[in-house]
Amino acid sequence: MNDNQDALLQVRDLRVEFPGRQGRVQAVRGVGFDVHSGESLAIVGESGSGKSVTARSVLRLVRDPGRITSGSIRYQGREVLDMSRAELARLRGGEIGMVFQDPLSSLNPVMTIGDQVAEAVRAHGHDRRRARARAAELLDLVGVPDPARRLADYPHQFSGGMRQRVMIAIALAGDPSLIIADEPTTALDVTVQAQILEVFARLNKELGTAVAVITHNLGLVARLCDRALVMYAGQIVEEAPVAALHDAPRHPYAWSLLKSVPRLTGGADRLEAIPGRPPDLRHPSGGCSFAPRCVFAEDRCHAAAPPLTERDPGHRAACWVTDDGLRLTAADRSQAHAQPAAPTPQRDEPVAPAPQRDEPAAPAPPSQRGGPGADVLVLSNVHKSYPVRRSSGLGRRTKGEIRAVRGVSLRLAAGETLGLVGESGCGKSTLTRILLGLEKPDSGSVHVWDHDLTATGSRGLTELRRQVQLVLQDPYASLNPRHTVGRLVAEPLHIHGLAGPGQAERRVAELLELVGLDSDMTARLPRDFSGGQRQRIALARALAVGPSVLVLDEPVSALDVSLQAQIVNLLLDLKDRLGIAYLLVAHDIAVVRQMSDRIAVMYLGQIMEEGPADEVCSRPLHPYTAALLSAVPEPDPAVERRRSRVPLSGEVPSPLSPPSGCPFHTRCAVRAGREICSTERPVAREVAPGRWSACHFSEETE
């Protein structure tokens, strides 16, 4: 890399290590890059690639026992590694602001928002009165409504998106020239993600603040950033303008990441997942770190590490095969060097189920009445409310009720996937608890095959619950860390009396193979597995009892892009093989479109639109659906430039006091003051064959 004296931040040959009992983890290995005033830079890669450690190193915030062993970090010409504590205190916040991933854990729950923002302002030289006024200005700058009043609120009174805005306001307290944001939109709804991206874009364009974003969301990169660094195994493997990286990547890892991302605009039935796992950084190889997973690898890739060289102005890559002019395309992959020269890595994260059987490993549901296409799950006019009470001198009295689910009707056929999308607080979780038999609806019915779940006794309920199983978002939290994998997968077999001791062991082995794991892993604990493997274990346990329906609650949102693609492909393969039905609950609409046959869009406890997945995503009938789709960033910068934005202001109203008329009319961009929207609640109607919409003007929206 050439020295650029005009760069705001210069990082050269940065190396960071974490000592451990089993050896030193070389988390960052010779990283170098520049950040210029007013630009937006993305640092992308899988978990463990070193991107967050690199960002923390800039402010010397690497957690013990990690340490920076060598390199240089210069900010506006000053060496950060030589700064005193006082100089670092002025640098942190005063010149470089940091926005961390989880705002709830970063904010003090017993201090008001105003005090926390004002504290950051005072740390940079303002008096108490000026700090309070400046805090209100900063909250207004990042888009917090009515900032002067909300200074007195506490973090728990803010939504996730609003808490993230507060974190950005704190980062801006010292008027920094550079903001580093570490996964700033992870776990946020797509609409909130879009709002946070707008905040960063406005800061970048209007104030000239440089923004460096650490993320694995390639859609975010395409929408927000000018330039991207791709990191793998502690090293930069490619650096390029975002458009060039998308159109002509020069490193197979960057190419593979882009191929594994689901898109709203459609694509292949299966995602192109990256096989294998990242290397162990306690023992990095002497060759290219990505070579064991690379479909383009040659002998020399395993023998020596390629240097990071410039291919075009501003475009660098570390790859032997593209250095010789190879273009990374599917056609080239099918040529002579399409297979890795080295032995295939051990099957830690296979792309598809391993066994080659004609019959499914899971037992067939005993109560199944029909074949493919028969309704396995039917919800009819389901309502669910929760009373809100408060204490009084004469006892407890009802204050109101939260109307979580309001007249929902849905059908799910055998072998079908229904995607359920909507913002947090729309009622998705309540609805899933009802169909799992964990909550009783106030009215309406839930039928599993021809049995009414809401009118079944405890013994019958146990059998019906066998038909509907749940896979949660975080597999590590849902697996007992003290139980072996064999015990975890066998537990539902014992509960339902489906296998004796000898049979259970055999069934566990079959189930692990079904989800693409080795059957000899039964004695290991959950901590011994990666995130993708733990999700496979959770799937094996859910499939053990032969369910008719799997409720998938954000099954891939906690996984990296490459692992996400593997689990999506596995779920699609299992559905084809077993004929099982999925109810997919997620906020990532691109993943929902990739997996689903139909999509239902939920808002404030109601279904606003329902129809075939491709049609809903390409031609939405409800303004809320259009706004959700508009908020989803696509990984293609050219698509992002062409897309029109459907504004979605404000937040979801409280279900304690929902708006009259159409529940969405307070945020709708197309109602244009039409009285009927605020006075009359629209009824869902079939606007076109298979297309349902609860909007007075669905034809106009179309």
Side-chain angles (χ1 to χ4, degrees):
M1 176 186 293
N2 297 325
D3 284 334
N4 189 337
Q5 301 301 323
D6 296 330
L8 186 66
L9 175 70
Q10 294 175 302
V11 178
R12 297 290 183 273
D13 196 29
L14 178 66
R15 298 179 184 272
V16 183
E17 294 182 351
F18 289 81
R21 293 182 179 179
Q22 298 179 342
R24 293 177 303 169
V25 175
Q26 301 176 41
V28 178
R29 303 186 292 152
V31 165
F33 62 92
D34 293 337
V35 180
H36 299 273
S37 296
E39 83 164 331
S40 53
L41 173 73
I43 304 177
V44 302
E46 295 173 283
S47 296
S49 63
K51 56 188 188 296
S52 291
V53 176
T54 298
R56 287 177 173 272
S57 298
V58 170
L59 290 171
R60 284 172 55 182
L61 290 174
V62 177
R63 293 191 180 97
D64 289 332
R67 62 191 184 92
I68 299 172
T69 58
S70 66
S72 170
I73 303 171
R74 301 185 71 83
Y75 185 77
Q76 293 186 334
R78 294 168 291 155
E79 180 56 62
V80 175
L81 300 182
D82 294 337
M83 286 185 177
S84 65
R85 287 191 176 184
E87 290 174 315
L88 278 176
R90 288 191 292 271
L91 178 74
R92 296 168 180 166
E95 298 180 76
I96 302 177
M98 186 81 180
V99 179
F100 294 99
Q101 177 175 342
D102 184 3
L104 190 58
S105 63
S106 301
L107 295 170
N108 190 327
V110 298
M111 288 180 64
T112 65
I113 293 298
D115 286 344
Q116 295 187 65
V117 180
E119 182 181 52
V121 175
R122 291 179 62 196
H124 299 289
H126 293 284
D127 59 31
R128 186 182 298 273
R129 178 178 296 180
R130 173 57 187 155
R132 191 77 175 177
R134 179 60 177 158
E137 292 173 3
L138 289 170
L139 291 181
D140 182 57
L141 179 65
V142 298
V144 174
D146 198 2
R149 181 183 63 82
R150 303 220 66 179
L151 289 173
D153 288 347
Y154 289 86
H156 72 270
Q157 295 174 280
F158 279 65
S159 66
M162 286 299 167
R163 285 194 292 263
Q164 193 63 285
R165 291 169 189 257
V166 172
M167 290 302 300
I168 298 171
I170 291 173
L172 291 170
D175 296 320
S177 301
L178 169 64
I179 289 181
I180 299 174
D182 190 356
E183 297 283 5
T185 62
T186 298
L188 298 179
D189 290 324
V190 289
T191 53
V192 179
Q193 287 182 21
Q195 292 167 8
I196 297 301
L197 293 184
E198 288 174 7
V199 171
F200 281 121
R202 190 169 68 250
L203 295 175
N204 183 245
K205 293 177 181 177
E206 296 180 6
L207 302 183
T209 307
V211 177
V213 180
I214 294 90
T215 184
H216 62 262
N217 186 333
L218 297 179
L220 180 154
V221 175
R223 179 169 292 188
L224 178 66
C225 298
D226 307 312
R227 190 163 54 93
L229 305 176
V230 182
M231 291 191 67
Y232 184 79
Q235 298 175 306
I236 294 175
V237 296
E238 186 161 3
E239 175 186 358
V242 170
L245 182 68
H246 179 273
D247 296 339
R250 301 299 181 88
H251 195 281
Y253 177 60
W255 181 83
S256 300
L257 280 181
L258 288 164
K259 298 291 284 184
S260 65
V261 177
R263 300 170 187 251
L264 278 177
T265 50
D269 291 338
R270 298 294 188 271
L271 299 173
E272 295 199 26
I274 307 174
R277 297 180 62 190
D280 185 347
L281 292 183
R282 293 170 298 185
H283 311 289
S285 66
C288 173
S289 298
F290 189 62
R293 306 174 71 187
C294 181
V295 295
F296 299 96
E298 302 172 351
D299 289 338
R300 57 179 171 168
C301 301
H302 303 276
L308 188 65
T309 58
E310 189 167 40
R311 309 302 173 81
D312 292 310
H315 195 156
R316 301 185 299 155
C319 177
W320 291 121
V321 293
T322 59
D323 199 24
D324 290 343
L326 176 77
R327 293 185 60 193
L328 300 178
T329 66
D332 285 330
R333 184 175 60 176
S334 66
Q335 300 302 318
H337 53 274
Q339 297 299 327
T344 302
Q346 66 176 14
R347 188 183 54 183
D348 282 329
E349 294 289 357
V351 177
Q356 302 296 321
R357 295 186 176 90
D358 292 329
E359 75 283 355
S367 62
Q368 185 165 327
R369 293 288 184 266
D375 287 334
V376 57
L377 186 67
V378 179
L379 286 76
S380 300
N381 199 28
V382 171
H383 290 259
K384 181 65 180 179
S385 298
Y386 297 93
V388 177
R389 303 176 184 276
R390 65 180 181 183
S391 299
S392 67
L394 300 177
R396 300 182 67 86
R397 61 188 179 89
T398 300
K399 180 183 178 182
E401 62 178 11
I402 294 175
R403 303 176 68 181
V405 178
R406 306 172 66 190
V408 168
S409 297
L410 288 173
R411 291 178 176 271
L412 179 62
E416 180 186 39
T417 299
L418 174 64
L420 184 62
V421 301
E423 294 170 284
S424 296
C426 72
K428 301 189 302 292
S429 296
T430 301
L431 192 64
T432 56
R433 287 197 299 270
I434 289 172
L435 63 90
L436 287 164
L438 302 176
E439 295 268 8
K440 275 192 171 288
D442 299 332
S443 61
S445 64
V446 179
H447 281 80
V448 179
W449 295 113
D450 54 357
H451 299 284
D452 189 347
L453 188 69
T454 60
T456 303
S458 57
R459 172 174 275 180
L461 188 59
T462 300
E463 171 58 27
L464 289 181
R465 280 177 174 165
R466 177 185 162 188
Q467 299 297 313
V468 185
Q469 291 290 301
L470 174 67
V471 177
L472 294 168
Q473 174 179 352
D474 184 356
Y476 195 64
S478 61
L479 299 174
N480 191 322
R482 297 184 178 182
H483 290 180
T484 64
V485 167
R487 181 175 176 181
L488 288 167
V489 178
E491 186 177 29
L493 295 172
H494 295 313
I495 289 174
H496 290 277
L498 298 178
Q503 294 173 311
E505 185 176 340
R506 185 171 62 254
R507 286 290 301 122
V508 168
E510 291 176 349
L511 287 162
L512 290 179
E513 289 182 352
L514 180 71
V515 298
L517 295 174
D518 291 331
S519 58
D520 59 3
M521 293 178 170
T522 54
R524 293 165 62 179
L525 297 171
R527 68 174 183 232
D528 299 324
F529 295 87
S530 68
Q533 288 174 313
R534 285 195 289 262
Q535 196 62 291
R536 292 172 186 267
I537 294 166
L539 272 170
R541 186 174 62 172
L543 292 170
V545 296
S548 301
V549 179
L550 277 189
V551 178
L552 305 171
D553 188 358
E554 300 281 5
V556 297
S557 64
L559 303 177
D560 285 323
V561 172
S562 57
L563 297 182
Q564 181 184 96
Q566 293 174 10
I567 298 301
V568 166
N569 288 345
L570 173 64
L571 288 167
L572 292 172
D573 291 337
L574 289 172
K575 187 183 80 164
D576 291 345
R577 182 172 177 177
L578 303 179
I580 198 168
Y582 294 149
L583 177 65
L584 174 61
V585 182
H587 68 258
D588 189 333
I589 304 178
V591 170
V592 173
R593 193 215 64 83
Q594 182 74 34
M595 291 186 61
S596 302
D597 301 298
R598 290 185 298 116
I599 291 177
V601 182
M602 197 169 183
Y603 185 79
L604 271 187
Q606 300 175 233
I607 301 298
M608 311 306 286
E609 180 169 355
E610 182 185 347
D614 290 339
E615 293 185 25
V616 168
C617 290
S618 63
R619 194 169 50 89
L621 298 180
H622 197 284
Y624 179 57
T625 308
L628 283 181
L629 293 169
S630 173
V632 179
E634 284 277 72
D636 187 338
V639 171
E640 278 298 303
R641 286 194 298 269
R642 292 195 304 266
R643 293 176 72 189
S644 59
R645 298 282 183 264
V646 179
L648 184 59
S649 59
E651 298 184 65
V652 180
S654 170
L656 189 63
S657 54
S660 60
C662 174
F664 185 63
H665 84 268
T666 58
R667 304 172 73 194
C668 184
V670 301
R671 70 182 181 91
R674 292 165 175 166
E675 184 178 354
I676 189 174
C677 297
S678 58
T679 58
E680 185 176 328
R681 180 180 170 187
V683 177
R685 55 195 174 91
E686 194 170 20
V687 179
R691 301 293 310 276
W692 293 79
S693 175
C695 176
H696 295 298
F697 304 99
S698 291
E699 290 83 357
E700 181 179 310
T701 305
E702 180 182 1

mmCIF file of all heavy atoms in Angstrom, residues 423-441:
data_model
loop_
_atom_site.group_PDB
_atom_site.id
_atom_site.type_symbol
_atom_site.label_atom_id
_atom_site.label_comp_id
_atom_site.label_asym_id
_atom_site.label_seq_id
_atom_site.Cartn_x
_atom_site.Cartn_y
_atom_site.Cartn_z
ATOM 1 N N GLU A 423 -42.763 -6.135 11.508
ATOM 2 C CA GLU A 423 -41.869 -5.514 12.473
ATOM 3 C C GLU A 423 -42.065 -6.092 13.870
ATOM 4 O O GLU A 423 -43.079 -6.737 14.153
ATOM 5 C CB GLU A 423 -42.119 -4.001 12.506
ATOM 6 C CG GLU A 423 -41.763 -3.289 11.215
ATOM 7 C CD GLU A 423 -42.264 -1.853 11.220
ATOM 8 O OE1 GLU A 423 -43.469 -1.651 11.029
ATOM 9 O OE2 GLU A 423 -41.439 -0.951 11.405
ATOM 10 N N SER A 424 -41.099 -5.859 14.741
ATOM 11 C CA SER A 424 -41.221 -6.274 16.130
ATOM 12 C C SER A 424 -42.468 -5.649 16.741
ATOM 13 O O SER A 424 -42.764 -4.472 16.518
ATOM 14 C CB SER A 424 -39.985 -5.832 16.930
ATOM 15 O OG SER A 424 -38.826 -6.462 16.460
ATOM 16 N N GLY A 425 -43.203 -6.456 17.505
ATOM 17 C CA GLY A 425 -44.420 -5.973 18.124
ATOM 18 C C GLY A 425 -45.663 -6.162 17.276
ATOM 19 O O GLY A 425 -46.755 -5.753 17.679
ATOM 20 N N CYS A 426 -45.528 -6.814 16.110
ATOM 21 C CA CYS A 426 -46.695 -6.972 15.245
ATOM 22 C C CYS A 426 -47.563 -8.159 15.648
ATOM 23 O O CYS A 426 -48.680 -8.308 15.157
ATOM 24 C CB CYS A 426 -46.265 -7.126 13.787
ATOM 25 S SG CYS A 426 -45.495 -8.706 13.397
ATOM 26 N N GLY A 427 -47.076 -9.036 16.538
ATOM 27 C CA GLY A 427 -47.874 -10.163 17.001
ATOM 28 C C GLY A 427 -47.399 -11.515 16.507
ATOM 29 O O GLY A 427 -48.040 -12.538 16.778
ATOM 30 N N LYS A 428 -46.267 -11.561 15.794
ATOM 31 C CA LYS A 428 -45.776 -12.829 15.252
ATOM 32 C C LYS A 428 -45.497 -13.847 16.362
ATOM 33 O O LYS A 428 -45.875 -15.013 16.260
ATOM 34 C CB LYS A 428 -44.493 -12.614 14.439
ATOM 35 C CG LYS A 428 -44.603 -11.667 13.273
ATOM 36 C CD LYS A 428 -43.364 -11.686 12.408
ATOM 37 C CE LYS A 428 -42.086 -11.339 13.143
ATOM 38 N NZ LYS A 428 -42.011 -9.951 13.578
ATOM 39 N N SER A 429 -44.828 -13.407 17.423
ATOM 40 C CA SER A 429 -44.456 -14.329 18.499
ATOM 41 C C SER A 429 -45.685 -14.860 19.231
ATOM 42 O O SER A 429 -45.756 -16.047 19.566
ATOM 43 C CB SER A 429 -43.510 -13.635 19.490
ATOM 44 O OG SER A 429 -42.298 -13.291 18.859
ATOM 45 N N THR A 430 -46.662 -13.986 19.474
ATOM 46 C CA THR A 430 -47.898 -14.434 20.124
ATOM 47 C C THR A 430 -48.604 -15.468 19.265
ATOM 48 O O THR A 430 -49.091 -16.494 19.764
ATOM 49 C CB THR A 430 -48.827 -13.236 20.377
ATOM 50 O OG1 THR A 430 -48.156 -12.285 21.211
ATOM 51 C CG2 THR A 430 -50.108 -13.682 21.064
ATOM 52 N N LEU A 431 -48.655 -15.217 17.967
ATOM 53 C CA LEU A 431 -49.323 -16.148 17.061
ATOM 54 C C LEU A 431 -48.634 -17.513 17.063
ATOM 55 O O LEU A 431 -49.300 -18.557 17.089
ATOM 56 C CB LEU A 431 -49.346 -15.567 15.649
ATOM 57 C CG LEU A 431 -50.255 -16.272 14.639
ATOM 58 C CD1 LEU A 431 -51.707 -16.149 15.061
ATOM 59 C CD2 LEU A 431 -50.051 -15.691 13.241
ATOM 60 N N THR A 432 -47.317 -17.534 17.074
ATOM 61 C CA THR A 432 -46.607 -18.817 17.088
ATOM 62 C C THR A 432 -46.823 -19.551 18.403
ATOM 63 O O THR A 432 -46.946 -20.782 18.414
ATOM 64 C CB THR A 432 -45.107 -18.623 16.840
ATOM 65 O OG1 THR A 432 -44.563 -17.715 17.798
ATOM 66 C CG2 THR A 432 -44.852 -18.069 15.449
ATOM 67 N N ARG A 433 -46.907 -18.826 19.514
ATOM 68 C CA ARG A 433 -47.176 -19.493 20.801
ATOM 69 C C ARG A 433 -48.563 -20.130 20.805
ATOM 70 O O ARG A 433 -48.765 -21.202 21.389
ATOM 71 C CB ARG A 433 -47.041 -18.501 21.962
ATOM 72 C CG ARG A 433 -45.612 -18.095 22.279
ATOM 73 C CD ARG A 433 -45.486 -17.474 23.658
ATOM 74 N NE ARG A 433 -46.286 -16.271 23.796
ATOM 75 C CZ ARG A 433 -45.854 -15.055 23.527
ATOM 76 N NH1 ARG A 433 -44.611 -14.888 23.074
ATOM 77 N NH2 ARG A 433 -46.622 -14.003 23.683
ATOM 78 N N ILE A 434 -49.506 -19.489 20.143
ATOM 79 C CA ILE A 434 -50.865 -20.037 20.072
ATOM 80 C C ILE A 434 -50.876 -21.332 19.269
ATOM 81 O O ILE A 434 -51.451 -22.341 19.692
ATOM 82 C CB ILE A 434 -51.829 -18.996 19.464
ATOM 83 C CG1 ILE A 434 -52.060 -17.850 20.447
ATOM 84 C CG2 ILE A 434 -53.161 -19.645 19.082
ATOM 85 C CD1 ILE A 434 -52.846 -16.688 19.860
ATOM 86 N N LEU A 435 -50.248 -21.338 18.116
ATOM 87 C CA LEU A 435 -50.312 -22.551 17.302
ATOM 88 C C LEU A 435 -49.430 -23.663 17.848
ATOM 89 O O LEU A 435 -49.577 -24.825 17.465
ATOM 90 C CB LEU A 435 -49.987 -22.246 15.842
ATOM 91 C CG LEU A 435 -48.605 -21.708 15.474
ATOM 92 C CD1 LEU A 435 -47.657 -22.843 15.162
ATOM 93 C CD2 LEU A 435 -48.714 -20.796 14.247
ATOM 94 N N LEU A 436 -48.507 -23.347 18.772
ATOM 95 C CA LEU A 436 -47.731 -24.375 19.459
ATOM 96 C C LEU A 436 -48.456 -24.913 20.688
ATOM 97 O O LEU A 436 -47.955 -25.817 21.358
ATOM 98 C CB LEU A 436 -46.370 -23.815 19.882
ATOM 99 C CG LEU A 436 -45.348 -23.602 18.764
ATOM 100 C CD1 LEU A 436 -44.212 -22.706 19.239
ATOM 101 C CD2 LEU A 436 -44.809 -24.937 18.284
ATOM 102 N N GLY A 437 -49.624 -24.346 20.998
ATOM 103 C CA GLY A 437 -50.376 -24.789 22.156
ATOM 104 C C GLY A 437 -49.855 -24.227 23.458
ATOM 105 O O GLY A 437 -50.225 -24.698 24.543
ATOM 106 N N LEU A 438 -48.996 -23.206 23.411
ATOM 107 C CA LEU A 438 -48.454 -22.589 24.618
ATOM 108 C C LEU A 438 -49.323 -21.451 25.124
ATOM 109 O O LEU A 438 -49.161 -21.000 26.253
ATOM 110 C CB LEU A 438 -47.036 -22.071 24.335
ATOM 111 C CG LEU A 438 -46.036 -23.122 23.857
ATOM 112 C CD1 LEU A 438 -44.698 -22.466 23.521
ATOM 113 C CD2 LEU A 438 -45.851 -24.201 24.912
ATOM 114 N N GLU A 439 -50.217 -20.952 24.281
ATOM 115 C CA GLU A 439 -51.183 -19.918 24.661
ATOM 116 C C GLU A 439 -52.545 -20.342 24.121
ATOM 117 O O GLU A 439 -52.639 -20.967 23.049
ATOM 118 C CB GLU A 439 -50.811 -18.563 24.057
ATOM 119 C CG GLU A 439 -49.522 -17.972 24.553
ATOM 120 C CD GLU A 439 -49.723 -17.065 25.752
ATOM 121 O OE1 GLU A 439 -50.855 -17.030 26.278
ATOM 122 O OE2 GLU A 439 -48.760 -16.390 26.139
ATOM 123 N N LYS A 440 -53.609 -20.012 24.840
ATOM 124 C CA LYS A 440 -54.966 -20.254 24.346
ATOM 125 C C LYS A 440 -55.523 -18.958 23.775
ATOM 126 O O LYS A 440 -55.447 -17.908 24.416
ATOM 127 C CB LYS A 440 -55.863 -20.765 25.473
ATOM 128 C CG LYS A 440 -55.786 -22.272 25.679
ATOM 129 C CD LYS A 440 -56.893 -22.732 26.591
ATOM 130 C CE LYS A 440 -56.968 -24.251 26.637
ATOM 131 N NZ LYS A 440 -57.493 -24.826 25.391
ATOM 132 N N PRO A 441 -56.075 -19.004 22.579
ATOM 133 C CA PRO A 441 -56.665 -17.787 22.019
ATOM 134 C C PRO A 441 -57.941 -17.407 22.760
ATOM 135 O O PRO A 441 -58.613 -18.267 23.346
ATOM 136 C CB PRO A 441 -56.950 -18.176 20.566
ATOM 137 C CG PRO A 441 -57.133 -19.656 20.602
ATOM 138 C CD PRO A 441 -56.208 -20.156 21.672
#
